[in-house]
Amino acid sequence: MKISLSWLKELVDINTDVEDIAESLSMSGFEVEEIIDQSSLVDGLIIGFIREIKEHPNANKLQICTVDIGKKECLQVVCGASNVRENIHVLVAIEGSYLKAIDLKIKSSSIRGIESKGMICSLSEIGLEENSKGIAVLDDLYSDLPQVGSSPNKLLGLDEVILDLAITANRPDGMSMIGIAREVSAIKKAKLTLPKCTFDKNEYTLFTPNYLTNEIIAEEGIYTIHYIENLDGSIESPDHIKTRLINSGLNSINLIVDITNYVMLEQGQPLHAFDADLLDKICNKKVKNDDFGFRKAKEGEKFNGVDGKQYILSESVSLVTCSDIPIAIAGVLGSQYSSVNNQTNRIWLESALFTQKSVRNSSRAIGKRTDSSSRYEKGISSNITISSANRAIQLLQKYFNCTVHLKSVNKEIDYIDKRIKLRKEKIQSVLGQLKVKNNENSINNSHFRDLSNEEIEESLNLLGCETNAIKEGWYVKAPLNRTNDLFREIDFIEEIARLIGYDKFDSNLPDPIKPGGLNPQQKTERKLRNYLSSAGLQEVNCSSLVPENKDTNNYVSISNPLLKETNTLRTNLWEEHLKICKRNISSGQNSCWIFEIGKIYFKDNDLIKEESKVSGLIVGKKSLGKWHDKSQNSDIEYYEARGLLESVFKSFSLSVTDKKLESNLLYHPGKSSSLFLEGKNFGTFGQLHPILSDNENMNYKVFLFEFKLEQLLLACTRKNKLIKIFKPYPIVPCMERDISVLLNKEISCDSIKNLILKVGKPLVVDVDLIDIYSSSNLEEGQVSLTYRIKYRKSDDTLREEDISPIHDIILQSLFKSFKASLR
């Protein structure tokens, strides 16, 4: 929001400099991003008068101008503008001038052999217009011109200082001059002079717009339409209106349109004027108030905007219609076919309170944000909708001999006198005491006291609030332009603190201040990140917002997405990891080892649930140099990749077993496994499915893993895992026996190992698979497995008679459970 300092001083009686005002606004919550001194745009620019023009001898399109700049000698300036002529006043940038808008330092130069000692400027070259068709002919633009050789700053409105403010979403009143004026008046305790904006509600007749829905006009919303005659669209705005619009970043169109924009800047309420004759033409009838209405756009419906562009609409766009014909995108943009022009003499003036959601959706759908839509999106008080329209009518009647024939509104005008109870006890408990400095002779630097009733009332009255004192405190009524953000007791307390100064209150910190700490789950998660990083994997963080996946119905849509590319919540982590991998490998990297700890989201009937996952991807071998890799194959193998994960699990003293993964479209059918922890399936590991690899053009081995974070944390934070129990080293030797058995190759190695450990208790302390043998000499479907079994007693040396019975029992159990036979 750009604030003109002279306009501000017209509303608030202040004499402080601009830096002081900027500092005060920033401290009160309105950050001043930039102070713009308009005079710096045209350093060295003066008013000149063209006395004579000659043809350039070496160029057909250039002319030699003799320009009077108020000195004894005239300047010779070469100009190529098509509208240059004799006996006109122009803007001249003399030698040494600097034009900030085009970053040009003016100096004497030779143009096609003729010396030029300056430059005749257009409005775009000094930053007042985006595009200009020729030089600025001041005689055509202004009626009262200063003398030749003087500065044009005042004429052009460039003697102004502009404050560029950043308006936050919780302070929509800052999108108006009156809102900022109230703020400055409250901060500086200065007199406020606002334009009168009264109206008689009995002048309004009730009407019902067509297709009225709560999606476009809220239940508390207002839609008014006013029929006005005897206007003239060819009349330009007075200089002060033009200047204020330009200083605020708006172009001057004509007096009718400029007044609607002027009121929007002043009051904060967007207005729109429709050309009544054009509406009659497109509707093929005499338009009445009840012809106006609202509806959602049809998919693919075309709309020609007042900006000259054609928009293809979607169903999320809200339209204002006349006889069901679109005449505006509600709160965003008017139609080219109903806009005010030079021939306009009758208008329908609209002032409405459209919903924030409908305007935001429409603006995003067409990819255009306007001054009007930005105000609707932040929120507008319903209390200023009708008064702003009457302010515009007041200005129209000032400059035109116009007649208002009809004022219509969609509902009864009945402002609720809402007053909020504000308790002094609550103010003191929230804000604490004021810190007051003592005089120099005092031993202590400061003392503390409570806020007085007078200080509280003064702060509220400076904001424009009405207060009625009661025993507990006050009943407070918010000013009309602040009803959207001042509706709770705590809101008024915050405003009191803001105006008095947060730094003037005593600080209240917890006593004593105790340091925070991590709980066991947080510590374990931190360790998990460290262990995965130590294993060589790099952590990544991907956005939870992803494009819509039409292949599944389980995704969670965002109701109000910023972009179409981020309109749903992710249902997995691996898709983004594959993209990261492809980018890295295609950029020349030999490997990509990554992991992420994040959440996925999915639907469970009517509920939306989230689940924390640990997911990652391993591609290629890592080495410090080429000579470390003796083989030509740069792919990492299945057991190497799985071993990286196993090192992490071993760091937590977890026993994770692998079982054959059933049908899964993500993983390779023969090179993948389900991971089991404490007897429960908690994750998966394996090579990417060949079909997916081909679809993604990934002609290398990609290993993916994913497991549930909560299940891992639960296992790691059990008491026996958190509290380490140290056992003494064995002081007696162990004995080892090998056993080779033939059995069906579909039987898993882990099931055999678990059976041996179970049956061999307490002497069997460890079992390792040391050999796998398969041959055509064996029966079809059989394989030979050799296990090394380690026996040990805790307090005595083993003897043969101790081991043999146990060994025999193990063999019998294998024969019985798996139909195994000794090889």
Side-chain angles (χ1 to χ4, degrees), residues 3 9 26 62 74 149 159 186 269 294 336 477 486 501 556 582 613 615 714 731 737 818:
I3 301 298
K9 288 186 174 181
S26 295
L62 297 178
C74 293
D159 57 342
Q269 169 68 53
F294 321 97
Q336 182 181 11
K477 180 182 178 182
L486 295 180
V556 179
K582 287 180 67 177
K613 293 275 191 177
S615 181
L714 181 64
I731 58 174
R737 290 280 183 91
F818 302 115

mmCIF file of all heavy atoms in Angstrom, residues 3 9 26 62 74 149 159 186 269 294 336 477 486 501 556 582 613 615 714 731 737 818:
data_model
loop_
_atom_site.group_PDB
_atom_site.id
_atom_site.type_symbol
_atom_site.label_atom_id
_atom_site.label_comp_id
_atom_site.label_asym_id
_atom_site.label_seq_id
_atom_site.Cartn_x
_atom_site.Cartn_y
_atom_site.Cartn_z
ATOM 1 N N ILE A 3 1.332 5.173 0.375
ATOM 2 C CA ILE A 3 0.679 6.264 1.102
ATOM 3 C C ILE A 3 1.331 7.585 0.720
ATOM 4 O O ILE A 3 2.551 7.761 0.862
ATOM 5 C CB ILE A 3 0.799 6.051 2.628
ATOM 6 C CG1 ILE A 3 0.147 4.730 3.036
ATOM 7 C CG2 ILE A 3 0.182 7.213 3.379
ATOM 8 C CD1 ILE A 3 -1.324 4.641 2.754
ATOM 9 N N LYS A 9 -1.239 14.013 5.523
ATOM 10 C CA LYS A 9 -1.233 15.226 6.351
ATOM 11 C C LYS A 9 -2.529 16.016 6.196
ATOM 12 O O LYS A 9 -2.860 16.820 7.057
ATOM 13 C CB LYS A 9 -0.030 16.092 5.989
ATOM 14 C CG LYS A 9 1.294 15.511 6.468
ATOM 15 C CD LYS A 9 2.458 16.458 6.214
ATOM 16 C CE LYS A 9 3.740 15.910 6.829
ATOM 17 N NZ LYS A 9 4.888 16.811 6.630
ATOM 18 N N SER A 26 6.181 1.592 11.569
ATOM 19 C CA SER A 26 6.858 0.292 11.630
ATOM 20 C C SER A 26 6.774 -0.308 13.021
ATOM 21 O O SER A 26 6.533 -1.513 13.178
ATOM 22 C CB SER A 26 8.324 0.432 11.208
ATOM 23 O OG SER A 26 8.428 0.816 9.851
ATOM 24 N N LEU A 62 14.179 12.370 -37.638
ATOM 25 C CA LEU A 62 14.672 13.214 -36.543
ATOM 26 C C LEU A 62 14.486 14.683 -36.892
ATOM 27 O O LEU A 62 14.537 15.073 -38.066
ATOM 28 C CB LEU A 62 16.151 12.930 -36.282
ATOM 29 C CG LEU A 62 16.517 11.527 -35.808
ATOM 30 C CD1 LEU A 62 18.020 11.401 -35.636
ATOM 31 C CD2 LEU A 62 15.798 11.179 -34.517
ATOM 32 N N CYS A 74 19.046 29.520 -26.035
ATOM 33 C CA CYS A 74 18.179 28.341 -26.141
ATOM 34 C C CYS A 74 19.029 27.087 -26.336
ATOM 35 O O CYS A 74 20.178 27.155 -26.793
ATOM 36 C CB CYS A 74 17.215 28.506 -27.312
ATOM 37 S SG CYS A 74 16.007 29.830 -27.082
ATOM 38 N N GLY A 149 11.527 27.227 -17.664
ATOM 39 C CA GLY A 149 12.762 27.161 -16.895
ATOM 40 C C GLY A 149 12.574 26.732 -15.460
ATOM 41 O O GLY A 149 13.548 26.454 -14.755
ATOM 42 N N ASP A 159 6.626 16.411 -6.262
ATOM 43 C CA ASP A 159 7.139 17.011 -5.042
ATOM 44 C C ASP A 159 6.656 16.215 -3.828
ATOM 45 O O ASP A 159 6.719 16.675 -2.694
ATOM 46 C CB ASP A 159 6.690 18.472 -4.921
ATOM 47 C CG ASP A 159 5.165 18.613 -4.953
ATOM 48 O OD1 ASP A 159 4.488 17.669 -5.401
ATOM 49 O OD2 ASP A 159 4.669 19.672 -4.533
ATOM 50 N N ALA A 186 -3.664 7.911 16.131
ATOM 51 C CA ALA A 186 -3.603 7.249 17.436
ATOM 52 C C ALA A 186 -2.191 7.243 17.987
ATOM 53 O O ALA A 186 -1.965 7.469 19.190
ATOM 54 C CB ALA A 186 -4.121 5.820 17.303
ATOM 55 N N GLN A 269 -12.829 0.327 0.249
ATOM 56 C CA GLN A 269 -13.916 -0.453 -0.343
ATOM 57 C C GLN A 269 -13.842 -0.367 -1.871
ATOM 58 O O GLN A 269 -14.010 0.706 -2.443
ATOM 59 C CB GLN A 269 -15.267 0.065 0.131
ATOM 60 C CG GLN A 269 -16.476 -0.492 -0.615
ATOM 61 C CD GLN A 269 -16.716 -1.960 -0.358
ATOM 62 O OE1 GLN A 269 -16.806 -2.400 0.783
ATOM 63 N NE2 GLN A 269 -16.812 -2.745 -1.421
ATOM 64 N N PHE A 294 -25.532 -13.234 -9.547
ATOM 65 C CA PHE A 294 -24.232 -13.893 -9.388
ATOM 66 C C PHE A 294 -24.381 -15.359 -9.767
ATOM 67 O O PHE A 294 -25.435 -15.962 -9.606
ATOM 68 C CB PHE A 294 -23.735 -13.817 -7.940
ATOM 69 C CG PHE A 294 -24.028 -12.515 -7.271
ATOM 70 C CD1 PHE A 294 -25.131 -12.353 -6.442
ATOM 71 C CD2 PHE A 294 -23.206 -11.430 -7.483
ATOM 72 C CE1 PHE A 294 -25.405 -11.165 -5.832
ATOM 73 C CE2 PHE A 294 -23.474 -10.225 -6.879
ATOM 74 C CZ PHE A 294 -24.566 -10.086 -6.051
ATOM 75 N N GLN A 336 -14.872 -5.980 -20.595
ATOM 76 C CA GLN A 336 -14.564 -5.003 -21.645
ATOM 77 C C GLN A 336 -15.840 -4.446 -22.263
ATOM 78 O O GLN A 336 -15.875 -3.297 -22.702
ATOM 79 C CB GLN A 336 -13.709 -5.688 -22.724
ATOM 80 C CG GLN A 336 -13.272 -4.784 -23.849
ATOM 81 C CD GLN A 336 -12.442 -5.538 -24.885
ATOM 82 O OE1 GLN A 336 -12.367 -6.760 -24.860
ATOM 83 N NE2 GLN A 336 -11.820 -4.810 -25.789
ATOM 84 N N LYS A 477 -16.973 -0.434 21.707
ATOM 85 C CA LYS A 477 -17.449 -0.621 20.345
ATOM 86 C C LYS A 477 -16.326 -0.256 19.385
ATOM 87 O O LYS A 477 -15.764 0.836 19.445
ATOM 88 C CB LYS A 477 -18.680 0.257 20.077
ATOM 89 C CG LYS A 477 -19.238 0.106 18.659
ATOM 90 C CD LYS A 477 -20.414 1.044 18.442
ATOM 91 C CE LYS A 477 -20.939 0.930 17.013
ATOM 92 N NZ LYS A 477 -22.064 1.873 16.767
ATOM 93 N N LEU A 486 -11.258 -6.442 15.333
ATOM 94 C CA LEU A 486 -11.458 -6.121 16.744
ATOM 95 C C LEU A 486 -12.826 -6.634 17.179
ATOM 96 O O LEU A 486 -13.824 -5.919 17.127
ATOM 97 C CB LEU A 486 -11.364 -4.604 16.981
ATOM 98 C CG LEU A 486 -10.015 -3.928 16.730
ATOM 99 C CD1 LEU A 486 -10.107 -2.432 17.027
ATOM 100 C CD2 LEU A 486 -8.910 -4.561 17.560
ATOM 101 N N GLY A 501 3.077 0.898 23.904
ATOM 102 C CA GLY A 501 4.437 0.441 23.613
ATOM 103 C C GLY A 501 4.752 -0.832 24.373
ATOM 104 O O GLY A 501 4.739 -0.830 25.613
ATOM 105 N N VAL A 556 -5.297 -36.844 -0.726
ATOM 106 C CA VAL A 556 -6.000 -35.809 0.031
ATOM 107 C C VAL A 556 -5.822 -34.480 -0.697
ATOM 108 O O VAL A 556 -4.707 -33.994 -0.859
ATOM 109 C CB VAL A 556 -5.450 -35.699 1.468
ATOM 110 C CG1 VAL A 556 -6.183 -34.610 2.229
ATOM 111 C CG2 VAL A 556 -5.569 -37.035 2.182
ATOM 112 N N LYS A 582 17.165 -39.396 -10.380
ATOM 113 C CA LYS A 582 17.321 -39.177 -11.825
ATOM 114 C C LYS A 582 18.095 -37.899 -12.106
ATOM 115 O O LYS A 582 18.965 -37.864 -12.989
ATOM 116 C CB LYS A 582 15.943 -39.126 -12.492
ATOM 117 C CG LYS A 582 15.253 -40.476 -12.598
ATOM 118 C CD LYS A 582 13.893 -40.360 -13.257
ATOM 119 C CE LYS A 582 14.001 -39.968 -14.704
ATOM 120 N NZ LYS A 582 12.683 -39.929 -15.363
ATOM 121 N N LYS A 613 7.021 -41.957 8.226
ATOM 122 C CA LYS A 613 7.766 -43.004 7.534
ATOM 123 C C LYS A 613 9.246 -42.639 7.463
ATOM 124 O O LYS A 613 9.627 -41.462 7.448
ATOM 125 C CB LYS A 613 7.236 -43.170 6.103
ATOM 126 C CG LYS A 613 5.810 -43.713 6.012
ATOM 127 C CD LYS A 613 5.791 -45.218 6.072
ATOM 128 C CE LYS A 613 4.408 -45.774 5.720
ATOM 129 N NZ LYS A 613 4.405 -47.244 5.708
ATOM 130 N N SER A 615 12.049 -43.395 4.728
ATOM 131 C CA SER A 615 12.134 -43.911 3.359
ATOM 132 C C SER A 615 13.439 -43.453 2.735
ATOM 133 O O SER A 615 14.017 -42.432 3.130
ATOM 134 C CB SER A 615 10.945 -43.410 2.532
ATOM 135 O OG SER A 615 10.998 -43.904 1.211
ATOM 136 N N LEU A 714 9.140 -47.284 18.993
ATOM 137 C CA LEU A 714 8.573 -48.077 20.086
ATOM 138 C C LEU A 714 9.524 -49.198 20.486
ATOM 139 O O LEU A 714 9.760 -49.432 21.683
ATOM 140 C CB LEU A 714 7.218 -48.655 19.661
ATOM 141 C CG LEU A 714 6.479 -49.495 20.701
ATOM 142 C CD1 LEU A 714 6.111 -48.638 21.907
ATOM 143 C CD2 LEU A 714 5.213 -50.110 20.095
ATOM 144 N N ILE A 731 34.285 -66.769 29.973
ATOM 145 C CA ILE A 731 35.642 -67.173 30.397
ATOM 146 C C ILE A 731 35.937 -68.615 30.010
ATOM 147 O O ILE A 731 37.005 -69.140 30.324
ATOM 148 C CB ILE A 731 35.797 -66.986 31.915
ATOM 149 C CG1 ILE A 731 34.751 -67.801 32.682
ATOM 150 C CG2 ILE A 731 35.719 -65.513 32.287
ATOM 151 C CD1 ILE A 731 34.933 -67.770 34.183
ATOM 152 N N ARG A 737 30.032 -76.873 15.708
ATOM 153 C CA ARG A 737 29.697 -78.052 14.908
ATOM 154 C C ARG A 737 29.007 -77.591 13.629
ATOM 155 O O ARG A 737 28.148 -76.709 13.661
ATOM 156 C CB ARG A 737 28.729 -78.972 15.677
ATOM 157 C CG ARG A 737 29.340 -79.679 16.857
ATOM 158 C CD ARG A 737 30.152 -80.900 16.414
ATOM 159 N NE ARG A 737 30.683 -81.636 17.549
ATOM 160 C CZ ARG A 737 30.038 -82.638 18.143
ATOM 161 N NH1 ARG A 737 28.848 -82.993 17.709
ATOM 162 N NH2 ARG A 737 30.585 -83.260 19.158
ATOM 163 N N PHE A 818 10.877 -79.707 8.692
ATOM 164 C CA PHE A 818 11.121 -79.285 7.311
ATOM 165 C C PHE A 818 11.388 -80.451 6.363
ATOM 166 O O PHE A 818 11.738 -80.225 5.190
ATOM 167 C CB PHE A 818 12.324 -78.326 7.265
ATOM 168 C CG PHE A 818 12.162 -77.103 8.118
ATOM 169 C CD1 PHE A 818 12.988 -76.884 9.204
ATOM 170 C CD2 PHE A 818 11.151 -76.178 7.839
ATOM 171 C CE1 PHE A 818 12.829 -75.772 9.996
ATOM 172 C CE2 PHE A 818 11.002 -75.058 8.624
ATOM 173 C CZ PHE A 818 11.837 -74.845 9.712
#
